[in-house]
Amino acid sequence: MTIASDSDRPVFPAAIPVAAGVGLRFRHHRPVINERPMIPWFEVHTENYMGGGAIPAYLDAIRRDYPVSLHGVGLSLGGADGIDEDHLRRVRQVVERVEPGLVSDHLSWSAIDGINLAELLPLPLTEETLAVVCRNVDRVQEGLGRRILMENPSSYIRYRHTTIPEPDFLVEVARRTGCGILCDVNNIYVSACNHGWDASAYLAALPPAMIEEIHLAGHSTRILEDGNALRIDDHGSIVCPAVWRLYAEALSRFGPVPTLIEWDTDVPPIEVLMAEAAIAQSLMDETAKGTADVA
Amino acid sequence: MSPDAPSSLRDVQRAMSRALVEGDTGLLDLTEGDMAAEGLSVYRSGFLIGVAVALAQSFPVVRRLVGEAFFDAAAHLYIASDPPRTGNLDDYGGGFPGFLAEFGPAASVPYLAHVARLEWAIAQALHAEDATPLSADDLAALAEADAEHLRLTLIPSVRMVEVAHSADLIWRRVLDEDDEGLAAIDPDQGPVRVLVDRVDGLPVVERLDDAAWRFGAGLSGGATLGDLLEAAGDAGPSLLAGYLVAGRLAGAEGGSPQSPTRKSAG
């Protein structure tokens, strides 16, 4: 490995541009360092860069030339036990090292009674859960000394005693804690299909000023024995046409927003992600042009 | 709990934890919709597969030795018996070597648990915090102040482990895909002591003789330099130099001449 390392500090400005970026995975480290592709920003999973060694060193090298967003999967923001202080301390170490433009995690939970289930698990959306999530987000924002974004999850089950619609829940967390919303358009589509929600109504319930990032990804569909279809958010394919249409609708509501292409199962070469990002960028450009024409 | 009474968040999360770890389906009483059972199974398989993938990343040679199907079956049983405790799966798997040592279907492969123990040390070495090793000048400056009572330590990536059944040689030859060399190994050898570290992001495993092992164990155990050198006798200076030149000595207890800073592995 040859990574020049004469400085600890990232040098590229931190701010995430209003443009289509790409989720960076391990197989992309060397191609990105060697070829410096034209990609406006990257997002990585925070937990993959904890500790020391070669992997965080790759990210140091990439950060010198690109803005980076840190996307967490391990804070368990909906956990009834509260935030794991040791995990928060390690997230903070990564934040201090990378100086990211954005920091985010999910409206979900993963840890209870000292066991970490390493999945983005669904929450019953009740007043009790709202209080827990807000307390946890407050603690994270205090511990990191900065705001975070909270992403709407995809889900495969729903609880009988849920009382608050998911978009209203997100908005209330953002209102009470000051966090922003990361709007995952694919997740809205997947959950809307699985639970019979109206995806357009979901988007309409989100105030544009709260939306600071959009995620796009592919999902798969499993046809069950009774003929029902369960959509599974496996991040293992290109973005499907219905999700592109929903993205265009989101842009028309929110205006252009930093948008990320995610791919986590059978991760393809960076060029495949760049092609997806180019589609998102063209839709964003059309929105910007439309807005300018109207103005 | 009554299906009519709203469940507390903690009840829901405990029921989901039982569903994922133990395969219990009581959570379904709290859900609605036609696809809840299938949905729950998506979460369960996501949990087992995701954690097993993390184990496979920490134990790649064990996986190659036993094959994917055996590894996944063993991993799923281990995950149910000792689920992850932190939000970073790099932390997970410290109990897997011990699990394999007691795992009946692996009893015919006595070296397996030893290879696993070595791989766990390697995984920890690869992810350990970065540190700036002491230079010869740093050491000279520290020694000038009080060599006798100086307490040095090892950088965080250094691990020392005892393995039997030629596990270190098996590990190397499996990684090198050297089937001929692998077949030539005698797995009935007794224990050896090895030092594990990372160099340029790659693992290194070195056998230690008794003197080097005792010296390294003394360093990591917080012994004073005076005691270490006395115990090592004539070999002491060269052992100290060996650790110094390899860049494995870290700041003395009570403060190093320069505060530890982050250093690229490359």
Side-chain angles (χ1 to χ4, degrees):
Chain A
M1 184 170 53
T2 53
I3 296 177
S5 174
D6 38 32
S7 162
D8 290 345
R9 313 298 297 172
V11 293
F12 204 88
I16 302 299
V18 182
V22 161
L24 183 81
R25 301 296 177 255
F26 289 173
R27 72 168 290 179
H28 305 137
H29 285 157
R30 284 168 181 272
V32 167
I33 288 170
N34 291 336
E35 294 156 28
R36 306 282 155 184
M38 290 284 288
I39 294 172
W41 60 286
F42 290 112
E43 183 165 280
V44 298
H45 286 160
T46 315
E47 282 73 12
N48 286 344
Y49 296 87
M50 290 177 166
I55 289 171
Y58 277 120
L59 187 58
D60 288 345
I62 290 166
R63 178 67 185 89
R64 276 189 273 281
D65 289 329
Y66 298 92
V68 169
S69 163
L70 290 180
H71 187 50
V73 294
L75 278 168
S76 191
L77 292 175
D81 290 337
I83 295 298
D84 174 346
E85 288 294 326
D86 189 56
H87 193 78
L88 179 58
R89 180 185 58 74
R90 293 204 281 180
V91 170
R92 185 180 175 118
Q93 285 176 347
V94 182
V95 168
E96 287 172 348
R97 180 166 179 167
V98 174
E99 296 181 14
L102 293 169
V103 177
S104 54
D105 206 303
H106 300 79
L107 176 60
S108 66
W109 69 280
S110 51
I112 188 73
D113 296 335
I115 292 177
N116 197 297
L117 299 161
E119 278 284 298
L120 301 171
L121 297 167
L123 289 163
L125 301 180
T126 63
E127 291 295 335
E128 181 203 6
T129 303
L130 184 59
V132 167
V133 172
C134 288
R135 191 164 65 236
N136 289 343
V137 171
D138 284 341
R139 175 64 201 125
V140 168
Q141 294 189 139
E142 179 190 69
L144 298 180
R146 62 186 290 161
R147 295 173 60 243
I148 63 168
L149 309 184
M150 170 173 275
E151 177 180 341
N152 58 294
S154 54
S155 58
Y156 314 119
I157 62 170
R158 58 185 186 275
Y159 300 101
R160 301 153 60 108
H161 60 294
T162 278
T163 54
I164 306 172
E166 189 173 286
D168 300 2
F169 193 99
L170 280 165
V171 169
E172 190 57 21
V173 174
R175 198 186 63 74
R176 291 190 194 179
T177 66
C179 77
I181 295 174
L182 193 176
C183 176
D184 189 313
V185 172
N186 179 61
N187 287 354
I188 292 177
Y189 183 79
V190 165
S191 292
C193 290
N194 288 342
H195 306 313
W197 300 343
D198 178 338
S200 294
Y202 193 121
L203 286 177
L206 300 175
M210 288 181 175
I211 310 302
E212 298 182 38
E213 182 182 345
I214 289 178
H215 274 182
L216 294 170
H219 66 265
S220 60
T221 304
R222 185 181 296 175
I223 305 297
L224 310 185
E225 280 177 15
D226 60 8
N228 279 323
L230 185 67
R231 307 256 171 184
I232 298 172
D233 179 34
D234 58 2
H235 293 189
S237 56
I238 57 173
V239 178
C240 75
V243 170
W244 282 124
R245 284 194 294 276
L246 194 60
Y247 174 59
E249 189 179 332
L251 289 175
S252 71
R253 289 192 174 279
F254 307 146
V257 178
T259 299
L260 185 85
I261 302 293
E262 290 185 295
W263 203 312
D264 291 289
T265 304
D266 301 325
V267 178
I270 195 92
E271 291 77 12
V272 175
L273 301 178
M274 291 172 72
E276 290 283 276
I279 300 172
Q281 187 66 54
S282 69
L283 288 168
M284 226 185 296
D285 293 344
E286 279 175 35
T287 305
K289 186 165 163 289
T291 312
D293 289 349
V294 172
Chain B
M1 79 195 78
S2 154
D4 299 323
S7 305
S8 77
L9 181 60
R10 189 177 299 279
D11 291 337
V12 170
Q13 294 183 339
R14 286 180 171 156
M16 179 64 95
S17 182
R18 285 194 297 275
L20 268 48
V21 177
E22 300 162 26
D24 180 277
T25 55
L27 179 81
L28 292 175
D29 294 342
L30 307 176
T31 63
E32 61 180 17
D34 310 339
M35 298 192 291
E38 190 77 20
L40 185 57
S41 78
V42 172
Y43 288 116
R44 177 147 209 248
S45 60
F47 163 66
L48 288 174
I49 292 169
V51 179
V53 165
L55 275 183
Q57 283 167 355
S58 292
F59 298 93
V61 170
V62 168
R63 188 159 177 265
R64 279 200 225 172
L65 282 168
V66 299
E68 282 177 34
F70 189 101
F71 185 89
D72 287 347
H76 290 178
L77 289 169
Y78 169 63
I79 292 163
S81 72
D82 184 15
R85 300 276 161 187
T86 79
N88 179 2
L89 287 176
D90 291 340
D91 301 338
Y92 183 62
F96 193 49
F99 172 87
L100 288 176
E102 302 292 320
F103 187 48
S108 62
V109 198
Y111 53 82
L112 194 65
H114 291 263
V115 175
R117 191 185 306 164
L118 178 63
E119 287 206 286
W120 179 246
I122 290 166
Q124 289 182 296
L126 291 177
H127 291 118
E129 294 292 336
D130 296 323
T132 303
L134 283 186
S135 68
D137 289 346
D138 295 334
L139 182 59
L142 287 167
E144 197 170 327
D146 186 356
E148 180 71 16
H149 298 101
L150 178 59
R151 287 178 207 274
L152 299 173
T153 183
L154 295 169
I155 58 171
S157 56
V158 174
R159 294 287 183 282
M160 294 169 62
V161 58
E162 188 174 281
V163 293
H165 300 290
S166 308
D168 56 331
L169 304 180
I170 292 171
W171 172 80
R172 184 76 256 169
R173 295 197 181 149
V174 169
L175 268 194
D176 292 346
E177 301 182 11
D178 175 3
D179 292 343
E180 216 168 288
L182 186 61
I185 292 172
D186 174 8
D188 294 328
Q189 295 293 310
V192 294
R193 288 150 162 185
V194 298
L195 178 148
V196 174
D197 194 5
R198 64 169 187 248
V199 173
D200 291 343
L202 296 174
V204 292
V205 175
E206 298 167 8
R207 284 195 178 186
L208 299 178
D209 62 23
D210 286 348
W213 170 271
R214 277 197 304 274
F215 200 84
L219 280 170
S220 59
T224 64
L225 188 57
D227 289 345
L228 277 174
L229 290 172
E230 190 182 326
D234 291 346
S238 70
L239 286 169
L240 181 65
Y243 279 96
L244 177 70
V245 170
R248 292 179 180 143
L249 293 181
E253 193 147 300
S256 65
Q258 59 183 81
S259 61
T261 55
R262 203 158 261 131
K263 177 175 167 283
S264 162

